[in-house]
Amino acid sequence: MRKSSLLAIFILAGMIFVMIESSKNDSATFDEIAHIGAGYSYLQEKDGRLNPEHPPLIKMFSAIPLLFLRLNFSTNQPFWTTENVNDRQWAAGNSLLYESGNDADKILFWSRFPIMALAVLFGFFIFWWARKNYGAKTAILSLLLFALSPTFLAHSRLVTTDLGAAFAFFASVVFFLKFLENNSKKSAVYFGLVFGLSLLVKFSLVILIPFFLILVIWKLIENWKLKIGNLALAMLIALSIICIFYIPLVWNYPPEQNLADARYTLGSYKTAQFASKIDFWLLSNQITRPLGQYLHGFLMAAQRTAGGNSAYFLGEISSDGWTSYFPVLFFTKEQIGLYILMLIAIVFSFKRRLVSRQNAILFSFIAYYWVWSLWSPLNIGIRHILPTFPFIYILVSGAINKVRPVFIFAIFLWMAIEIAFVFPYFISYYNEFAGSFKNGYRVATDSNYDWGQDLKRLKFWVEEKNIDKIYLDYFGGGSPKYYLGDKYEFWRYEKGSPPAGSYFAVSANSLVGAEKLYYWLENKKPVARAGSSIFIFSF
C-alpha cells in the first residue's frame, strides 16, 4: 500500500512537471480569454454578468492567484454594460490581459496553475478509488494511462471547464455508487455536496440525472431498500450549494441589468419559452435571483448545444455535427498503446468473464455518455468526451493486470517516449493513424489541434529571423498586437497574396476553414511553422 502511494506521487510529480514546462510558451487559447476575465471579475467585482453560459466554480478557482498580483482592471468601460452580452466576456478578457498594462504571461501562468493542481488531485482520486475497488496494480496502471494521456495533458494546463468537468463526472458517479451501496444519510450528504459542486463546474452534468434515475430504478427492483428520503436530501443539498455559490455573482449585479441581459440572450430561445419565462420570474425576485442566474446560464448552454457550432472535420465544414466525429477522434487523439491495451482487455474480459456488477455500471456510464455525445451536434473537440476516459482507463487496467509485466512495461515505456517526442505540443497531438501531430489538422482542428496556443512561438520565430513585418491570419485567444506590436498586419484570404518579399502566417484552423478561399496558397509550401499550428509562407 505504501509503495503504491509513493509510486503514485512520483507519477503525479512527473505529470505536473510536464504540464508546467509545456505550458510556458503556450499563448492564450480561444476560450481562456473569456474564462480568465470572467473568473477574475466574479471575485473582484462580485458580479456574474460575464460568461454566464458556463458555471463559475472552475473560473473562480483559477482566478484566486490573480487576486495577489495587483492587476489593473476597470469596469468603467463600454464592455461592462454593452447590450451584446456575448461580446462582453471577450472584451473584458482582452482588457485584463492585454490592454491594462498587466503581464499577460504571468496572468496565464497563475490562472492555469490551479487547473494543473486540480489535475493532480484528480489523478490521485482515480488512483485512490481504483486501489480501493480493484487493487494497487490496477490503480497504478489507471494512473499511468491518465498521466500519459495527451488529451488530459493538453487540457489540464488550460483555464477551461474540461478538466474540471471530467473530475466532476467521475466524482459524482463514485459518490452516487457509494450512496446506493449503503443508503445512509451520511453518504447522501456527501453525494449531495459533491453533486452540487459538480453542477457548478459544467451545465452538462445534468445529463447524469437520467443515468442516476436508471440506477435508482435498478436498485429498487433489486431489493426495494433504497431510502428515497435520503435521495431527496442529497438533491436538496445540491440545490443549496448552487444557490450559495451564485449569491456572490448577483451581489453587485444590478437586478434590472441582470433581467435585461437574460431577456437579450434568451429572447430568441424558441424551443423553451416556458423555461425562459420561469427564469425571468426567478430573476425578478431578490431571493430567487441566484437560482435564476444559474438557470439563465443553463438555458444559454442548452441553446448553444442545440444549435451546434461550425467545425471542420475530414474535409467538411458544418454546424450539424457528424456521428463519426467522436469515434474518429477517440482513435486518433489518444496513444496507439492505449488501443492495444484495450484490445487485450476485451480478450481477457471475455476469457476470464470479468463482467462484475461494478464494471457493468462503469461500462453503462461510458455507453450512456457516448450515446448522448454522438447525438449532440456540438462537435468542437475530443475534450467533450473526456469524462468517459477515467472509466475506460480503470476498466482496461483491471482487465490487463494479470498480463506479463514485461509486455505491459514495454507498452507504457513506448507511451512515455511518445509523450516526450510530442512535448510541448499536446493540444495538437494525433497518433500515427492520423499522420502524427504534424498532419493531424487534416482530421479536425479547433481545440483538437489549433486553439491559438502558438502565437508566442510565432513571436520567437519573428525575433529569431529579425523580420520587420509579417502578415497574419490568427485564430485564438492571444493578442498579435501585444506580442508582435507593429511587426504584424492583419491579413485574410479576401485580400489576395501579401506583398512580394514578405511573410504570411496563418493558423491551421483559419486555413482549413477557408481552404478553397486561400487559392493563392494552393501551390505553396510552408517555409516554417510556429509551434505546430501556425503555418508560415514566404512570398
Side-chain angles (χ1 to χ4, degrees):
M1 182 92 52
R2 186 179 177 185
K3 288 182 179 179
S4 64
S5 296
L6 290 174
L7 185 54
I9 292 170
F10 176 78
I11 293 168
L12 291 170
M15 183 181 183
I16 197 166
F17 174 79
V18 169
M19 288 190 293
I20 290 173
E21 290 300 312
S22 64
S23 70
K24 282 183 177 179
N25 290 324
D26 275 7
S27 48
T29 56
F30 195 88
D31 286 7
E32 285 186 293
I33 290 298
H35 291 169
I36 293 172
Y40 185 72
S41 72
Y42 298 163
L43 299 180
Q44 190 75 9
E45 306 296 332
K46 296 182 178 63
D47 188 312
R49 73 183 67 196
L50 300 180
N51 194 236
E53 67 183 84
H54 295 285
L57 189 57
I58 293 297
K59 292 176 284 186
M60 294 170 75
F61 180 59
S62 68
I64 291 173
L66 303 186
L67 296 177
F68 302 96
L69 298 184
R70 298 182 180 179
L71 300 175
N72 301 316
F73 181 71
S74 173
T75 57
N76 294 321
Q77 300 184 60
F79 67 73
W80 194 245
T81 55
T82 183
E83 185 184 44
N84 191 335
V85 178
N86 298 319
D87 288 345
R88 288 178 188 164
Q89 55 196 9
W90 309 109
N94 277 293
S95 176
L96 176 65
L97 270 80
Y98 307 120
E99 299 166 3
S100 301
N102 299 315
D103 185 334
D105 294 327
K106 182 180 287 188
I107 292 174
L108 283 171
F109 175 80
W110 285 111
S111 57
R112 287 168 172 172
F113 186 78
I115 307 300
M116 298 181 204
L118 188 65
V120 171
L121 180 62
F122 185 16
F124 195 81
F125 188 68
I126 292 171
F127 164 78
W128 169 81
W129 189 79
R131 184 174 67 178
K132 182 180 178 182
N133 291 274
Y134 293 90
K137 189 173 181 181
T138 296
I140 290 295
L141 294 176
S142 301
L143 182 57
L144 278 170
L145 289 174
F146 171 77
L148 293 175
S149 164
T151 309
F152 268 114
L153 286 172
H155 295 283
S156 296
R157 311 164 307 132
L158 305 176
V159 185
T160 62
T161 57
D162 301 304
L163 182 279
F167 194 173
F169 271 98
F170 187 82
S172 293
V173 171
V174 164
F175 277 89
F176 187 72
L177 292 179
K178 183 67 175 177
F179 166 69
L180 288 182
E181 183 183 317
N182 58 35
N183 274 318
S184 70
K185 186 173 291 186
K186 182 179 179 181
S187 63
V189 170
Y190 283 148
F191 167 63
L193 289 170
V194 170
F195 192 51
L197 291 172
S198 297
L199 291 172
L200 290 166
V201 172
K202 194 92 169 179
F203 287 120
S204 59
L205 262 293
V206 298
I207 71 166
L208 278 176
I209 294 175
F211 180 71
F212 289 160
L213 287 176
I214 293 170
L215 293 181
V216 166
I217 294 170
W218 181 14
K219 181 76 173 178
L220 290 173
I221 293 173
E222 190 178 58
N223 58 21
W224 295 93
K225 291 181 181 180
L226 182 67
K227 297 178 181 177
I228 300 299
N230 286 344
L231 182 60
L233 173 64
M235 293 298 103
L236 181 61
I237 291 173
L239 188 63
S240 300
I241 291 291
I242 290 172
C243 291
I244 289 169
F245 267 84
Y246 266 81
I247 288 174
L249 299 188
V250 298
W251 196 269
N252 290 332
Y253 195 174
E256 62 280 0
Q257 181 78 61
N258 196 178
L259 184 58
D261 291 345
R263 290 189 185 280
Y264 177 86
T265 54
L266 302 178
S268 60
Y269 197 5
K270 304 298 183 185
T271 57
Q273 284 296 311
F274 180 68
S276 298
K277 290 178 180 178
I278 292 175
D279 185 47
F280 300 154
W281 180 84
L282 291 171
L283 289 171
S284 299
N285 294 272
Q286 190 63 27
I287 294 177
T288 57
R289 275 184 69 206
L291 190 59
Q293 183 65 359
Y294 183 84
L295 181 58
H296 173 206
F298 175 81
L299 292 175
M300 285 183 69
Q303 183 175 226
R304 180 168 182 246
T305 300
N309 197 88
S310 182
Y312 169 88
F313 178 61
L314 294 177
E316 297 180 8
I317 298 174
S318 175
S319 59
D320 296 330
W322 300 267
T323 305
S324 59
Y325 184 84
F326 287 114
V328 169
L329 286 176
F330 180 76
F331 285 105
T332 55
K333 287 285 291 173
E334 283 288 287
Q335 295 206 49
I336 294 175
L338 171 64
Y339 313 137
I340 294 173
L341 294 176
M342 286 175 63
L343 183 60
I344 295 171
I346 292 170
V347 172
F348 267 68
S349 295
F350 279 110
K351 268 189 172 183
R352 297 158 56 192
R353 298 180 181 178
L354 297 174
V355 188
S356 66
R357 175 175 162 177
Q358 186 159 262
N359 283 0
I361 292 174
L362 298 188
F363 181 79
S364 65
F365 169 74
I366 295 169
Y368 170 80
Y369 194 92
W370 270 75
V371 168
W372 176 82
S373 299
L374 293 175
W375 167 79
S376 172
L378 193 62
N379 292 169
I380 54 175
I382 192 175
R383 59 196 173 95
H384 285 180
I385 57 169
L386 207 54
T388 62
F389 285 23
F391 297 101
I392 293 172
Y393 299 156
I394 290 171
L395 290 175
V396 169
S397 299
I400 66 170
N401 64 13
K402 300 297 182 182
V403 178
R404 291 182 179 179
V406 174
F407 179 76
I408 297 298
F409 176 80
I411 293 289
F412 278 105
L413 179 61
W414 172 27
M415 294 174 72
I417 292 171
E418 186 156 8
I419 289 298
F421 176 75
V422 77
F423 177 97
Y425 308 125
F426 298 124
I427 292 177
S428 299
Y429 177 85
Y430 276 89
N431 60 40
E432 293 302 322
F433 292 159
S436 82
F437 77 95
K438 290 187 176 180
N439 299 299
Y441 66 93
R442 302 180 192 278
V443 178
T445 52
D446 206 276
S447 60
N448 299 303
Y449 193 87
D450 170 26
W451 224 5
Q453 69 273 11
D454 287 323
L455 183 60
K456 277 180 68 178
R457 295 183 178 97
L458 178 63
K459 172 195 172 185
F460 298 150
W461 186 86
V462 167
E463 291 174 346
E464 179 187 341
K465 300 298 182 181
N466 197 26
I467 294 170
D468 294 326
K469 174 75 74 175
I470 188 164
Y471 297 89
L472 174 63
D473 181 357
Y474 169 70
F475 171 87
S479 168
K481 184 177 180 180
Y482 181 85
Y483 287 109
L484 296 168
D486 295 332
K487 292 186 176 182
Y488 102 99
E489 182 176 331
F490 174 72
W491 201 268
R492 286 212 327 167
Y493 52 82
E494 63 265 25
K495 294 186 176 185
S497 301
S502 66
Y503 288 96
F504 172 65
V506 56
S507 295
N509 200 69
S510 300
L511 182 61
V512 299
E515 192 168 8
K516 293 180 181 178
L517 298 173
Y518 272 116
Y519 62 89
W520 41 268
L521 288 176
E522 284 182 3
N523 297 319
K524 296 188 73 67
K525 290 185 178 180
V527 295
R529 284 199 201 185
S532 59
S533 67
I534 298 180
F535 298 87
I536 304 169
F537 297 87
S538 175
F539 285 86

